[in-house]
Amino acid sequence: LNGYDLTSYLPIFAGLTIESHDATERFRADYRRTVAELLARNRYERLRELAHQRNLSIHPVVRPTAAIPADAILNASFSDVPAADFRLRTPAPLASYPTGTDVALKIATSAGHLYNRRFIAAKGPLTDGAGGGWEVDLRALKPLLDRAYLHGANRIFISAFTHSPASAGVPGIECPDGVCFNANATWWRQSRSFLTWTARNAVLLVQGKPVSDVCVICDDDQPGAREAQLRRIEEELGGRYDYDAASTDALLTRMNPSGGAIILPDGVRYRLLVLPDRRAMRPEVVAKIKELVRAGATVVAPKPLTTVGLQGYPESEARLRADADSVWGRTFTGESLFGRGRVIWGKPLDDV
């Protein structure tokens, strides 16, 4: 899949170093990317194909994990309705939320924006499985749903409206990891206005195009790096600007320059493109940055010094360095003009 036979590199899985430390790490990067690509194509894309053949749609729930190599944004791109869980604030449902964005919901909404999905769902509210859902009323649910809408969701999947027959008594049967949301709830007779509000939101929030100032290419090379990167981005933006998180797939296949901005085929625009703070990049990513900046885009990224993986290595090094010298130049000022655009590095995003 990557243009070379992996047989001689198999001892790496037993903890051995093959050829050199650099070659070993390059193979590991190829392995992680290949596993993530196969998972996306053979599971999520194939599931969508089979569902569409039967006039069905799919909405797998985004759950970022560090346990396996996976591109959560690419996986979500194959969902007809990108969805993510949101959780109840147990044990105190009315307690204040911590600041920051729910990474899973940010990934789901970003995938919806990047791949032109009209509906984006928040599923919940979930609990920790140890109770906490029985005492939840509309007063507690309102700020939860507000937060989900602000994150970019325009649909709420209630978890869960259980079937609880009269013979089960009151409050009846309930899902252990969700809220008591059914006709047995004490507030059910007062819920019409609340449900009308959610229905109105579902209509209004699908109008027009989403607006985000920044598009962040996520660091998928190391498990868990994506979450840390997005937390840092939020701190630097300081809540004054919104952003979408993207994978390199969206960068290479969906993004084009237009009037000094980066535009997607369906009209979504970004003023700024941000890449991971790493000195290693795939040659095709550097070539894409060169194309965007030449046409007028503004990109925040450090100058790459080497390639990622063994594919095309070592010949790919010369190509990457030539493109990097063209775009970033040989200056150390933190900004380089190229074509009609510019590339910036070493500065906080709120200064950019």
Side-chain angles (χ1 to χ4, degrees), residues 144-166:
L144 283 171
L145 270 59
D146 284 341
R147 183 176 171 88
Y149 290 134
L150 287 172
H151 277 39
N154 54 38
R155 286 291 185 276
I156 301 297
F157 290 171
I158 295 296
S159 178
F161 195 106
T162 54
H163 171 63
S164 185

Side-chain angles (χ1 to χ4, degrees), residues 175-214:
C175 180
D177 61 351
V179 302
C180 179
F181 198 104
N182 59 33
N184 286 333
T186 56
W187 43 261
W188 184 253
R189 293 180 183 274
Q190 291 80 43
S191 64
R192 178 181 293 274
S193 296
F194 179 82
L195 296 176
T196 300
W197 170 74
T198 61
R200 185 187 307 115
N201 290 340
V203 173
L204 294 176
L205 291 174
V206 297
Q207 308 302 315
K209 294 293 182 182
V211 176
S212 296
D213 298 287
V214 181

Side-chain angles (χ1 to χ4, degrees), residues 32 36-37 39-40 44 68-76 218 220 226 246-249:
R32 289 191 294 267
E37 180 77 12
L39 177 63
Y44 293 93
I68 59 173
D71 186 336
I73 301 171
L74 182 59
N75 293 344
C218 280
D220 294 314
R226 181 191 305 108
S247 64
T248 53
D249 174 79

Side-chain angles (χ1 to χ4, degrees), residues 238-250:
R240 293 184 292 276
Y241 304 95
D242 198 7
Y243 72 95
D244 280 336
S247 64
T248 53
D249 174 79

